């Protein structure tokens, strides 16, 4: 469909771009972590942006048709959908997610570009906030006196001063805390650390029995399939997305945040780890020993639904977050890339994990200036920030 049908604000995208330059326990909020978050007053947020790394539209549409994603289904029915070209699978995620909130290409935003060294030659800029040379959605809003919450967004460590609350990426936070680092680098204002820290849980706080709902209950192997990387990836992903959602909820209640940006990265890790169990044939064909085939088939039987069930988990988190949106709020769900699944390269090798990324991202946008049901498929990643700002 034509791009000019996606939203009523499409004609001001270029102007905005110029402006931007100048259930189980773990499904319930905090319960798996044994640190319940305080009750949250709903309907306070005027802008909600949920970043979901690796959200694949074809899976969303399939599960929505099956009635398993009520919250994303509602947003899709009420909003517009933009599919866009990413910066490419070889570009660091921290650069991609920075461009998503600046509306600028890497060479023009600092992060991902070049900067003069002490010797005067040009070197790659560090992927930290200090390298950024342009505004983001949150710096624009904060500079205008709006309260903002930025929770877990890539390339935000150490955190920067905002009018509201900023919490750094979950993985960085957990690693720094593990090594007794100065945790005020992960939370602004520092006075919020005492309330934030108990909610930022490690993967080992999620036990194998808590993860049983992600598995096929009829499979013979059962929880024995969740060992090694299978357990680590799934438990850490659940801990990350649950923690950051809990932090986002108290950002609204405890810090009066009215503009909220939250990053959920667990789906990407889960997709990379478990996709070949959902789509086993390409990998199965490369297995030679009969015993290996039998083991792989047993693993696939119990793990084939992990990704679908994780989408259901993400949908519940999106429902909790979208409940914060007030009347007339703008809600955006954005993904930097999707997935194409396992494939065989020119050398006959099956490529899985990172190599399954697609070069297409998506923006689902709902709000009073958005035309429901409209869709455009010819966008670019740098269109996302100005479109959200315009809306």
């Amino acid at each position: 469909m034509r791009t000019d049908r996606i939203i009523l604000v499409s004609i001001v995208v270029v102007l905005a771009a110029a402006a931007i330059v100048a259930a189980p326990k773990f499904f319930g909020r905090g319960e798996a972590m044994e640190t319940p978050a305080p009750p949250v007053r709903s309907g306070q947020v005027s802008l909600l942006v949920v970043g979901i790394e690796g959200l694949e539209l074809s899976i969303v549409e399939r599960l929505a048709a099956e009635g398993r994603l009520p919250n994303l289904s509602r947003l899709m029915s009420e909003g517009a959908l933009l599919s866009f070209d990413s910066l490419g699978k070889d570009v660091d995620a921290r650069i991609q997610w920075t461009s998503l909130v600046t509306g600028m290409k890497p060479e023009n935003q600092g992060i991902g570009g070049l900067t003069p060294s002490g010797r005067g030659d040009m070197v790659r800029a560090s992927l930290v906030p200090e390298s950024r040379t342009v505004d983001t959605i949150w710096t624009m809003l904060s500079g205008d006196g709006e309260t903002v919450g930025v929770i877990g967004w890539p390339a935000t460590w150490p955190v920067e001063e905002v009018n509201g609350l900023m919490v750094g990426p979950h993985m960085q936070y957990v690693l720094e805390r593990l090594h007794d680092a100065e945790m005020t680098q992960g939370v602004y204002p520092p006075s919020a650390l005492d309330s934030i820290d108990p909610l930022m849980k490690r993967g080992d706080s999620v036990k194998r029995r808590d993860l049983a709902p992600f598995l096929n209950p009829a499979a013979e192997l059962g929880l024995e399939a969740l060992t090694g990387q299978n357990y680590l990836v799934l438990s850490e992903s659940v801990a990350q997305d649950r923690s950051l959602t809990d932090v986002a909820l108290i950002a609204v209640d405890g810090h009066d945040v009215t503009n909220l940006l939250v990053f959920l990265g667990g789906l990407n890790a889960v997709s990379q780890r478990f996709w070949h169990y959902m789509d086993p044939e390409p990998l199965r064909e490369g297995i030679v020993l009969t015993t290996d085939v039998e083991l792989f088939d047993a693993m696939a039987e119990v793990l084939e639904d992990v990704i679908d069930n994780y989408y259901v988990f993400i949908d519940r988190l999106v429902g909790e977050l979208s409940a914060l949106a007030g009347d007339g709020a703008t809600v955006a769900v954005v993904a930097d890339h999707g997935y194409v699944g396992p494939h065989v390269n020119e050398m006959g090798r099956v490529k899985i994990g990172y190599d399954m990324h697609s070069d297409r991202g998506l923006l689902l946008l709902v709000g009073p200036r958005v035309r429901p049901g409209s869709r455009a498929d010819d966008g670019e990643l740098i269109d996302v920030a100005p479109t959200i700002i315009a809306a």
Side-chain angles (χ1 to χ4, degrees):
M1 297 180 65
R2 294 179 56 190
T3 305
D4 60 3
R5 294 183 60 191
I6 184 169
I7 57 173
L8 297 179
V9 300
S10 59
I11 60 173
V12 298
V13 164
V14 174
L15 296 178
I20 207 166
V21 177
K25 286 186 177 179
F26 58 82
F27 283 165
R29 183 171 70 250
E31 292 175 0
M33 316 311 181
E34 298 179 357
T35 309
V40 176
R41 298 187 300 272
S42 62
Q44 294 178 240
V45 173
S46 58
L47 171 65
L48 171 65
V49 180
V50 183
I52 306 177
E53 189 174 17
L55 187 71
E56 168 54 40
L57 180 60
S58 64
I59 296 182
V60 172
E61 291 176 331
R62 172 172 60 80
L63 294 176
E66 295 172 6
R68 300 184 64 189
L69 305 180
N71 298 297
L72 287 170
S73 295
R74 176 180 57 81
L75 293 175
M76 291 177 68
S77 67
E78 296 176 357
L81 184 66
L82 168 67
S83 176
F84 58 82
D85 290 326
S86 73
L87 299 179
K89 67 177 63 177
D90 294 327
V91 177
D92 192 289
R94 290 168 291 183
I95 299 172
Q96 301 252 25
W97 285 96
T98 301
S99 288
L100 280 166
V101 291
T102 65
M104 303 297 295
K105 292 184 177 180
E107 60 268 25
N108 298 322
Q109 68 181 5
I111 292 180
L114 299 176
T115 187
S117 71
R119 299 187 302 272
D121 53 341
M122 302 300 289
V123 297
R124 289 289 175 188
S126 300
L127 304 183
V128 295
E130 289 87 345
S131 298
R132 202 178 59 238
T133 57
V134 297
D135 273 324
T136 63
I137 292 174
W138 62 77
T139 59
M140 290 183 65
L141 291 168
S142 186
D144 285 342
E146 297 275 349
T147 55
V148 299
V150 184
I151 313 300
W153 209 266
T156 57
W157 189 285
V159 293
E160 57 193 301
E161 182 177 343
V162 295
N163 182 30
L165 176 70
M166 178 176 279
V167 178
H170 180 268
M171 181 179 296
Q172 182 81 22
Y173 189 103
V174 169
L175 288 174
E176 294 291 333
R177 185 171 60 184
L178 188 63
H179 293 91
D180 298 321
E182 178 55 59
M183 296 313 301
T184 54
Q185 293 189 8
V187 177
Y188 181 87
S191 59
L193 183 59
D194 288 344
S195 62
I196 299 301
D197 192 64
L199 299 176
M200 297 287 277
K201 297 300 183 179
R202 290 166 32 176
D204 57 12
S205 65
V206 182
K207 307 306 180 185
R208 284 206 307 171
R209 63 180 179 273
D210 297 324
L211 300 174
F214 289 102
L215 311 182
N216 176 6
E220 182 178 352
L221 194 57
L223 286 174
E224 288 79 5
L226 282 182
T227 58
Q229 286 297 310
N230 287 343
Y231 164 70
L232 290 174
V233 169
L234 187 54
S235 62
E236 290 172 2
S237 297
V238 169
Q240 175 188 172
D241 290 342
R242 181 70 267 172
S243 294
L244 294 177
T245 300
D246 287 343
V247 170
L249 297 179
I250 71 164
V252 176
D253 187 65
H255 297 269
D256 296 323
V257 163
T258 56
N259 300 274
L260 183 62
L261 295 93
V262 188
F263 176 79
L264 304 178
L267 179 62
N268 188 52
V270 168
S271 297
Q272 288 189 25
R273 183 64 196 174
F274 293 98
W275 196 290
H276 56 280
Y277 294 121
M278 180 177 67
D279 182 15
E281 285 308 310
L283 193 64
R284 191 177 185 276
E285 292 173 1
I287 299 175
V288 178
L289 298 177
T290 303
T291 54
D292 290 341
V293 172
E294 292 174 352
L295 176 59
F296 179 77
D297 287 346
M299 296 285 283
E301 181 186 20
V302 69
L303 300 174
E304 62 184 353
D305 295 327
V306 168
I307 291 178
D308 282 5
N309 289 331
Y310 205 90
Y311 271 77
V312 173
F313 174 53
I314 287 293
D315 184 77
R316 297 187 187 192
L317 300 184
V318 169
E320 293 179 32
L321 293 168
S322 61
L324 302 173
D327 293 338
T330 298
V331 177
V333 175
V334 60
D336 60 331
H337 67 81
Y339 273 85
V340 296
H343 59 280
V344 179
N345 67 6
E346 61 278 3
M347 300 181 65
R349 295 176 180 173
V350 179
K351 307 297 288 183
I352 60 174
Y354 170 82
D355 292 296
M356 298 187 299
H357 288 190
S358 74
D359 292 325
R360 300 288 290 173
L362 66 90
L363 170 66
L364 173 59
L365 191 62
V366 179
R369 303 186 69 190
V370 178
R371 182 179 295 133
S374 54
R375 178 166 180 165
D377 298 310
D378 57 353
E380 295 184 63
L381 180 141
I382 59 173
D383 294 332
V384 171
T387 300
I388 292 173
I389 287 291

